[in-house]
Amino acid sequence: MSNVVSFNNVFKSYKEINALIDVTIELQPGIYGLIGPNGAGKSTLIRLMATLDTPSLGSIKYNDTPVSEIKGHYRSMIGLMPQEQKGYEYFTGLSFLYYMAVLKGIDRADAKIQIQQLIKQVSLEDSIHRKLKTFSGGMRQRLMFAQALLGNPKILILDEPTAGLDPFERIKLRNYISQIAKDKIVLIATHVMQDIESIADKVFLLKEGKVVFNGSGEELLKTISGKVFEEQISVDQISKYQGMYKLSKVFKFDNSYLVRYLDDTRNDGNQTPNFEDAYLYYMVDHEDISE
Ligand code: ADP
């Protein structure tokens, strides 16, 4: 059975703000990274995909049927991990999961089996009887991830899933995500490239409401191949480089700098591009960083 969500020329505006502009994307089973700085429109796109809001123009379809026509059925297939959520502080982890299972209409016997599996999957066995107010940021994120998986959704939407996590917890969550992704559409919204660079099949770069890149990570890096340079320069050259290029890294030595920069006019770069370079290339305007 097919499992495809498509955005077809979707616009969303709030009064005079255009939060999404002519977005056309297709999501088949796989992991998708939705990348953009704050304000780019990521949450808006997620709200539309989860039918929590509707487009101003254009359509969102599930297997060619507008989601507005199959809202309840479509929604029942979605697992959503919202951005950092407070509340439920006096629930224990376990009672929170049962509560969410009830909201999703899962019967108690089935919920019990699923919850036990999920607790193991996200390694919360030791803390699941504690109240949420005593949970660390990492435990809370893992719990939110677990509740998103209740009901075995075909479409999993994760909004900034690694917010507030330390580097080790980020890696763990990334691993959980790639383990469960099989046969699901997984959309991960984040402004942290590392969250998705090793696991995403496809990347959507969103800037000021527009999709400015849509393709695999490999294709993304290819688009800036030959444009990335590293060079050792003297201290008095730094302002010239800042004025001319997007600098992705500056290391200071005693009397010199090692700079990593992007030069759009050349194709003989001496460095292999990485995802941070790509983020800089597509997302950051030169004026924003040359000061
Ligand atoms: P992101 O999640 O990438 O940070 P958002 O989707 O939250 O971006 O916001 C995109 C743009 O739409 C921003 O300019 C934001 O201020 C605006 N926006 C989002 N939601 C609303 C709303 N309910 N009312 C008015 N403006 C909004």
Side-chain angles (χ1 to χ4, degrees), residues 12-15 17-20 36-47 53 83 159-160 189 206 209:
K12 179 69 186 177
S13 24
Y14 301 102
K15 297 207 178 107
I17 296 170
N18 295 316
L20 290 179
N38 291 332
K42 301 183 296 297
S43 303
T44 302
L45 192 151
I46 282 176
R47 277 203 304 276
D53 207 341
Q83 252 181 53
D159 196 358
E160 299 280 355
L206 198 61

mmCIF file of all heavy atoms in Angstrom, residues 12-15 17-20 36-47 53 83 159-160 189 206 209, ligand 1:
data_model
loop_
_atom_site.group_PDB
_atom_site.id
_atom_site.type_symbol
_atom_site.label_atom_id
_atom_site.label_comp_id
_atom_site.label_asym_id
_atom_site.label_seq_id
_atom_site.Cartn_x
_atom_site.Cartn_y
_atom_site.Cartn_z
ATOM 1 N N LYS A 12 1.073 29.672 2.711
ATOM 2 C CA LYS A 12 0.386 29.966 3.971
ATOM 3 C C LYS A 12 0.756 31.370 4.406
ATOM 4 O O LYS A 12 1.935 31.694 4.549
ATOM 5 C CB LYS A 12 0.819 28.964 5.060
ATOM 6 C CG LYS A 12 0.172 29.206 6.405
ATOM 7 C CD LYS A 12 -1.316 28.904 6.380
ATOM 8 C CE LYS A 12 -2.005 29.286 7.674
ATOM 9 N NZ LYS A 12 -3.463 29.055 7.597
ATOM 10 N N SER A 13 -0.234 32.212 4.574
ATOM 11 C CA SER A 13 0.079 33.540 5.091
ATOM 12 C C SER A 13 -0.714 33.860 6.339
ATOM 13 O O SER A 13 -1.832 33.363 6.543
ATOM 14 C CB SER A 13 -0.119 34.611 4.024
ATOM 15 O OG SER A 13 -1.014 34.187 3.046
ATOM 16 N N TYR A 14 -0.073 34.626 7.194
ATOM 17 C CA TYR A 14 -0.709 35.163 8.395
ATOM 18 C C TYR A 14 -0.726 36.677 8.217
ATOM 19 O O TYR A 14 0.337 37.291 8.236
ATOM 20 C CB TYR A 14 0.105 34.835 9.641
ATOM 21 C CG TYR A 14 0.306 33.365 9.894
ATOM 22 C CD1 TYR A 14 1.517 32.762 9.578
ATOM 23 C CD2 TYR A 14 -0.702 32.587 10.455
ATOM 24 C CE1 TYR A 14 1.714 31.412 9.815
ATOM 25 C CE2 TYR A 14 -0.507 31.246 10.688
ATOM 26 C CZ TYR A 14 0.696 30.655 10.367
ATOM 27 O OH TYR A 14 0.893 29.326 10.597
ATOM 28 N N LYS A 15 -1.880 37.243 7.981
ATOM 29 C CA LYS A 15 -1.952 38.677 7.656
ATOM 30 C C LYS A 15 -0.930 38.997 6.572
ATOM 31 O O LYS A 15 -0.957 38.398 5.517
ATOM 32 C CB LYS A 15 -1.767 39.531 8.912
ATOM 33 C CG LYS A 15 -2.885 39.290 9.911
ATOM 34 C CD LYS A 15 -3.127 40.487 10.818
ATOM 35 C CE LYS A 15 -4.267 40.210 11.741
ATOM 36 N NZ LYS A 15 -3.847 39.974 13.115
ATOM 37 N N ILE A 17 2.310 38.398 6.651
ATOM 38 C CA ILE A 17 3.493 37.527 6.643
ATOM 39 C C ILE A 17 3.248 36.292 5.786
ATOM 40 O O ILE A 17 2.254 35.581 5.963
ATOM 41 C CB ILE A 17 3.848 37.069 8.081
ATOM 42 C CG1 ILE A 17 4.237 38.272 8.926
ATOM 43 C CG2 ILE A 17 4.968 36.042 8.068
ATOM 44 C CD1 ILE A 17 4.361 37.962 10.394
ATOM 45 N N ASN A 18 4.150 36.055 4.825
ATOM 46 C CA ASN A 18 4.056 34.827 4.034
ATOM 47 C C ASN A 18 4.946 33.777 4.674
ATOM 48 O O ASN A 18 6.156 33.781 4.487
ATOM 49 C CB ASN A 18 4.499 35.089 2.595
ATOM 50 C CG ASN A 18 3.561 36.045 1.895
ATOM 51 O OD1 ASN A 18 2.339 35.926 2.017
ATOM 52 N ND2 ASN A 18 4.108 37.015 1.200
ATOM 53 N N ALA A 19 4.354 32.883 5.441
ATOM 54 C CA ALA A 19 5.145 31.884 6.175
ATOM 55 C C ALA A 19 5.594 30.755 5.260
ATOM 56 O O ALA A 19 6.665 30.191 5.451
ATOM 57 C CB ALA A 19 4.339 31.343 7.349
ATOM 58 N N LEU A 20 4.783 30.410 4.253
ATOM 59 C CA LEU A 20 5.187 29.409 3.255
ATOM 60 C C LEU A 20 4.826 29.933 1.869
ATOM 61 O O LEU A 20 3.729 30.459 1.660
ATOM 62 C CB LEU A 20 4.472 28.068 3.488
ATOM 63 C CG LEU A 20 4.863 27.261 4.727
ATOM 64 C CD1 LEU A 20 4.034 25.981 4.796
ATOM 65 C CD2 LEU A 20 6.349 26.927 4.766
ATOM 66 N N GLY A 36 16.057 24.756 8.490
ATOM 67 C CA GLY A 36 15.954 26.196 8.261
ATOM 68 C C GLY A 36 16.145 26.931 9.554
ATOM 69 O O GLY A 36 15.928 26.377 10.626
ATOM 70 N N PRO A 37 16.555 28.192 9.458
ATOM 71 C CA PRO A 37 16.739 28.979 10.677
ATOM 72 C C PRO A 37 15.391 29.291 11.333
ATOM 73 O O PRO A 37 14.334 29.034 10.744
ATOM 74 C CB PRO A 37 17.408 30.263 10.169
ATOM 75 C CG PRO A 37 17.035 30.353 8.728
ATOM 76 C CD PRO A 37 16.824 28.955 8.236
ATOM 77 N N ASN A 38 15.406 29.864 12.505
ATOM 78 C CA ASN A 38 14.159 30.256 13.156
ATOM 79 C C ASN A 38 13.404 31.218 12.253
ATOM 80 O O ASN A 38 13.995 32.098 11.645
ATOM 81 C CB ASN A 38 14.448 30.944 14.505
ATOM 82 C CG ASN A 38 15.006 29.958 15.507
ATOM 83 O OD1 ASN A 38 14.719 28.760 15.421
ATOM 84 N ND2 ASN A 38 15.815 30.433 16.429
ATOM 85 N N GLY A 39 12.108 30.990 12.156
ATOM 86 C CA GLY A 39 11.278 31.882 11.344
ATOM 87 C C GLY A 39 11.173 31.447 9.888
ATOM 88 O O GLY A 39 10.471 32.075 9.098
ATOM 89 N N ALA A 40 11.857 30.383 9.513
ATOM 90 C CA ALA A 40 11.866 29.953 8.102
ATOM 91 C C ALA A 40 10.519 29.391 7.658
ATOM 92 O O ALA A 40 10.197 29.389 6.467
ATOM 93 C CB ALA A 40 12.952 28.908 7.878
ATOM 94 N N GLY A 41 9.728 28.878 8.623
ATOM 95 C CA GLY A 41 8.423 28.309 8.265
ATOM 96 C C GLY A 41 8.283 26.830 8.600
ATOM 97 O O GLY A 41 7.295 26.196 8.224
ATOM 98 N N LYS A 42 9.252 26.294 9.343
ATOM 99 C CA LYS A 42 9.237 24.852 9.645
ATOM 100 C C LYS A 42 7.990 24.450 10.426
ATOM 101 O O LYS A 42 7.308 23.492 10.078
ATOM 102 C CB LYS A 42 10.498 24.450 10.440
ATOM 103 C CG LYS A 42 11.805 24.749 9.728
ATOM 104 C CD LYS A 42 13.007 24.264 10.523
ATOM 105 C CE LYS A 42 13.203 24.945 11.864
ATOM 106 N NZ LYS A 42 13.467 26.384 11.796
ATOM 107 N N SER A 43 7.700 25.197 11.503
ATOM 108 C CA SER A 43 6.536 24.821 12.325
ATOM 109 C C SER A 43 5.245 24.971 11.542
ATOM 110 O O SER A 43 4.313 24.170 11.709
ATOM 111 C CB SER A 43 6.452 25.690 13.584
ATOM 112 O OG SER A 43 7.638 25.565 14.311
ATOM 113 N N THR A 44 5.205 25.978 10.694
ATOM 114 C CA THR A 44 4.010 26.176 9.867
ATOM 115 C C THR A 44 3.812 24.958 8.959
ATOM 116 O O THR A 44 2.706 24.408 8.863
ATOM 117 C CB THR A 44 4.158 27.458 9.020
ATOM 118 O OG1 THR A 44 4.377 28.557 9.906
ATOM 119 C CG2 THR A 44 2.927 27.706 8.178
ATOM 120 N N LEU A 45 4.894 24.516 8.319
ATOM 121 C CA LEU A 45 4.807 23.350 7.427
ATOM 122 C C LEU A 45 4.336 22.125 8.204
ATOM 123 O O LEU A 45 3.475 21.364 7.742
ATOM 124 C CB LEU A 45 6.170 23.123 6.778
ATOM 125 C CG LEU A 45 6.228 22.150 5.605
ATOM 126 C CD1 LEU A 45 7.352 22.536 4.638
ATOM 127 C CD2 LEU A 45 6.427 20.714 6.043
ATOM 128 N N ILE A 46 4.871 21.964 9.414
ATOM 129 C CA ILE A 46 4.482 20.820 10.247
ATOM 130 C C ILE A 46 3.014 20.897 10.639
ATOM 131 O O ILE A 46 2.283 19.906 10.577
ATOM 132 C CB ILE A 46 5.382 20.773 11.501
ATOM 133 C CG1 ILE A 46 6.743 20.195 11.113
ATOM 134 C CG2 ILE A 46 4.745 19.957 12.622
ATOM 135 C CD1 ILE A 46 7.731 20.200 12.232
ATOM 136 N N ARG A 47 2.584 22.091 11.031
ATOM 137 C CA ARG A 47 1.173 22.231 11.421
ATOM 138 C C ARG A 47 0.257 21.874 10.259
ATOM 139 O O ARG A 47 -0.779 21.227 10.429
ATOM 140 C CB ARG A 47 0.889 23.656 11.911
ATOM 141 C CG ARG A 47 1.250 23.869 13.372
ATOM 142 C CD ARG A 47 0.475 25.042 13.988
ATOM 143 N NE ARG A 47 0.674 26.271 13.230
ATOM 144 C CZ ARG A 47 1.708 27.080 13.389
ATOM 145 N NH1 ARG A 47 2.619 26.812 14.297
ATOM 146 N NH2 ARG A 47 1.824 28.179 12.670
ATOM 147 N N ASP A 53 -3.654 23.015 10.882
ATOM 148 C CA ASP A 53 -3.969 24.272 10.214
ATOM 149 C C ASP A 53 -4.138 23.945 8.728
ATOM 150 O O ASP A 53 -3.782 22.844 8.301
ATOM 151 C CB ASP A 53 -2.808 25.264 10.438
ATOM 152 C CG ASP A 53 -3.291 26.707 10.374
ATOM 153 O OD1 ASP A 53 -4.388 26.944 9.815
ATOM 154 O OD2 ASP A 53 -2.569 27.592 10.873
ATOM 155 N N GLN A 83 7.427 20.582 19.611
ATOM 156 C CA GLN A 83 8.595 21.236 20.204
ATOM 157 C C GLN A 83 8.476 21.205 21.706
ATOM 158 O O GLN A 83 7.372 21.174 22.235
ATOM 159 C CB GLN A 83 8.659 22.684 19.715
ATOM 160 C CG GLN A 83 9.781 22.894 18.737
ATOM 161 C CD GLN A 83 9.841 24.322 18.273
ATOM 162 O OE1 GLN A 83 9.885 25.244 19.078
ATOM 163 N NE2 GLN A 83 9.801 24.514 16.974
ATOM 164 N N ASP A 159 9.472 17.677 15.679
ATOM 165 C CA ASP A 159 9.800 19.109 15.618
ATOM 166 C C ASP A 159 10.940 19.392 16.592
ATOM 167 O O ASP A 159 10.747 19.301 17.804
ATOM 168 C CB ASP A 159 8.552 19.923 15.974
ATOM 169 C CG ASP A 159 8.690 21.383 15.565
ATOM 170 O OD1 ASP A 159 9.758 21.764 15.051
ATOM 171 O OD2 ASP A 159 7.716 22.138 15.760
ATOM 172 N N GLU A 160 12.089 19.718 16.085
ATOM 173 C CA GLU A 160 13.287 19.998 16.896
ATOM 174 C C GLU A 160 13.497 18.896 17.948
ATOM 175 O O GLU A 160 13.581 19.191 19.138
ATOM 176 C CB GLU A 160 13.155 21.360 17.614
ATOM 177 C CG GLU A 160 13.010 22.551 16.695
ATOM 178 C CD GLU A 160 14.334 23.028 16.106
ATOM 179 O OE1 GLU A 160 15.390 22.493 16.476
ATOM 180 O OE2 GLU A 160 14.277 23.917 15.242
ATOM 181 N N ALA A 189 12.216 18.236 11.717
ATOM 182 C CA ALA A 189 12.485 19.670 11.546
ATOM 183 C C ALA A 189 13.561 20.090 12.529
ATOM 184 O O ALA A 189 13.474 19.771 13.716
ATOM 185 C CB ALA A 189 11.211 20.469 11.805
ATOM 186 N N LEU A 206 14.677 25.145 3.901
ATOM 187 C CA LEU A 206 13.608 26.137 3.882
ATOM 188 C C LEU A 206 14.180 27.487 4.296
ATOM 189 O O LEU A 206 14.807 27.611 5.350
ATOM 190 C CB LEU A 206 12.534 25.685 4.884
ATOM 191 C CG LEU A 206 11.144 26.284 4.796
ATOM 192 C CD1 LEU A 206 10.497 25.982 3.447
ATOM 193 C CD2 LEU A 206 10.251 25.722 5.919
ATOM 194 N N GLY A 209 10.333 30.847 4.025
ATOM 195 C CA GLY A 209 9.098 30.273 3.499
ATOM 196 C C GLY A 209 9.237 29.510 2.195
ATOM 197 O O GLY A 209 8.285 28.900 1.725
HETATM 198 P P1 ADP B 1 10.092 28.193 12.241
HETATM 199 O O1 ADP B 1 9.333 27.042 12.809
HETATM 200 O O2 ADP B 1 10.972 27.812 11.077
HETATM 201 O O3 ADP B 1 10.847 28.965 13.285
HETATM 202 P P2 ADP B 1 7.469 29.380 11.860
HETATM 203 O O4 ADP B 1 6.709 28.472 10.967
HETATM 204 O O5 ADP B 1 7.178 29.323 13.321
HETATM 205 O O6 ADP B 1 9.036 29.226 11.597
HETATM 206 O O7 ADP B 1 7.214 30.883 11.395
HETATM 207 C C1 ADP B 1 7.323 31.337 10.044
HETATM 208 C C2 ADP B 1 6.857 32.788 9.957
HETATM 209 O O8 ADP B 1 5.450 32.860 10.164
HETATM 210 C C3 ADP B 1 7.476 33.706 10.998
HETATM 211 O O9 ADP B 1 7.663 34.973 10.436
HETATM 212 C C4 ADP B 1 6.428 33.748 12.082
HETATM 213 O O10 ADP B 1 6.523 34.954 12.799
HETATM 214 C C5 ADP B 1 5.141 33.671 11.281
HETATM 215 N N1 ADP B 1 4.048 33.012 12.024
HETATM 216 C C6 ADP B 1 4.008 31.713 12.405
HETATM 217 N N2 ADP B 1 2.837 31.436 13.032
HETATM 218 C C7 ADP B 1 2.119 32.591 13.041
HETATM 219 C C8 ADP B 1 0.826 32.959 13.549
HETATM 220 N N3 ADP B 1 0.024 32.077 14.159
HETATM 221 N N4 ADP B 1 0.446 34.253 13.398
HETATM 222 C C9 ADP B 1 1.232 35.148 12.767
HETATM 223 N N5 ADP B 1 2.459 34.872 12.275
HETATM 224 C C10 ADP B 1 2.895 33.610 12.408
#
